[in-house]
Amino acid sequence: MSLRRADGAPGAGADRGRTGRAPGRRGRPPLTGPQRFLLGGSFLITLGSFAVLPYMSVLLHQRLGLGLGTVGIVLAVASLIQFAGGVVAGPVTGRIGLRRAMLLALGLRTAGFAAFVPGLTSPVLAVGALLLVSAGAALYLPANKAYLVEGASEARRPRLLSASGSAFNAGMALGPPAAAPLVMGSPGVLFSCVTVLFALVGAGHALLPAGAADRPSDRSSDGSSSAPTAGRSPESDAPRPGPSPFVVTVLSVYAFMFFQHYLALYAVPRTSAAFYGAVLTGYAALLVVAQPLLAERVAALSYPAALRWGFGAMAAGMAAIGAGGHVGIAAGGALLCLGEIVLFLKNDLEALARSSAAPASVFGRQRLAAGIGAFASGVLGGQLYGAAESAGSARAFWAAVCLQCLLLPVFLLRRRPARAPEGSRAGAG
């Protein structure tokens, strides 16, 4: 596969000049070699990561003997590093470039997975290895997305970001079942295989061509990119209606993580573990297939409309889950999938369109927002679910979350619209 980068990709205006209309499916330019490689690499990276990370609590507790309280603290710190650490991606990529940032991130993750092999007999090494992996993840994803959309017009970004999301979600879905036969019986073999996988993917990244942000002439002395943001049209600098994408991302992830964190507690006793696993598999498959198909429709929505559709789908999904039964839980999962597609993709697109900062900085701030939302959901959700169970009705938990999803767009859309691009405001995330 050639990794030669296509230069001077025409923007949406150029496509309209040749065809007389906005580019349709036939007029879309094909993915470049580097873009195809990054999408394939995203699948392999997530496959390797999720072959290990979902089982981390079991390994730390059962194999290494750490108490559950200690395990919880370790995993909370690792999650905080993985999400909040995304804010360093902007300065790092501005200083060393996108390709080198991805290589550094993959180097950290490869070293972390390699350290797990001797760490299987040492809690200190295992915890250190997990923190290395988390630090690498914090740096890699913003740099990966920024390299993927570099040089792409606003019209092409939905397709690229949705394809990236599908690649990551496919790896997340296949990683745990692929590792299940090895994770407890032969974890050393599993970690060795994941280490080799990351080393090979990292070697492939070394062959990627330097992008505009990687060339020294395009970076100022403070490490920020001096090149114009690719794909931004003049109208993208105009005020755009709706609240801050950072705030919306915090609240979107906050609402969504109630489903992620607490569905197992609710669904398994009422159905079965096998049915719960089937729901998760179907959810991942639907996300992989539907996200690229809906990307252009989501991009065409106004931001207020996207909030109404996205949170509305989440509210309907929470209500269906609360209704219980196999049909209600399955339908709720499908509706939550639709809400995730609309909100998560639209938030990233809106953040890019509003900001004059480099894409890696934008994606880093979005990761921080996701971390804040997930943390708040975890803290509050436990209290809510415990109170609902104590009252003898776990369905009340889903009713409370449904009500929040209905009220969030009302709260957000009553806020005054943003008047300036986010990248021009100091400390915006």
Side-chain angles (χ1 to χ4, degrees), residues 25 158-159 162 286-301 337-339 341-342 345 349:
R25 294 186 180 274
R159 180 191 179 201
S162 64
L286 181 60
L287 193 62
V288 169
V289 173
Q291 191 169 17
L293 295 177
L294 296 176
E296 292 178 355
R297 292 181 180 271
V298 172
L301 288 173
C337 183
L338 175 62
I341 290 170
V342 173
L345 177 58
L349 293 172

Side-chain angles (χ1 to χ4, degrees), residues 243-258 307 311 314 343-344 347 369-370 372-374 376-377 404-405 407-409 411-413 415:
S244 161
F246 184 90
V247 174
V248 178
T249 299
V250 170
L251 295 176
S252 299
V253 176
Y254 162 80
F256 176 75
M257 292 306 289
F258 287 116
L307 299 190
F311 281 113
M314 284 193 178
L343 287 175
F344 290 14
N347 287 339
I372 294 171
S377 181
Q404 291 182 68
C405 292
L407 293 177
L408 282 175
F411 162 74
L412 289 166
L413 295 176
R415 295 169 60 91

Side-chain angles (χ1 to χ4, degrees), residues 386-410:
E389 278 203 329
S390 298
S393 176
R395 291 181 175 181
F397 170 81
W398 300 104
V401 177
C402 172
L403 180 61
Q404 291 182 68
C405 292
L406 289 173
L407 293 177
L408 282 175
V410 177

Side-chain angles (χ1 to χ4, degrees), residues 3 11 13 21 29 67 77 152 169 207-208 234 293-294 296 365 414:
L3 296 184
R21 64 181 187 276
V77 171
N169 283 295
L207 301 177
L208 287 170
L293 295 177
L294 296 176
E296 292 178 355
R365 288 198 297 265
R414 288 185 64 182

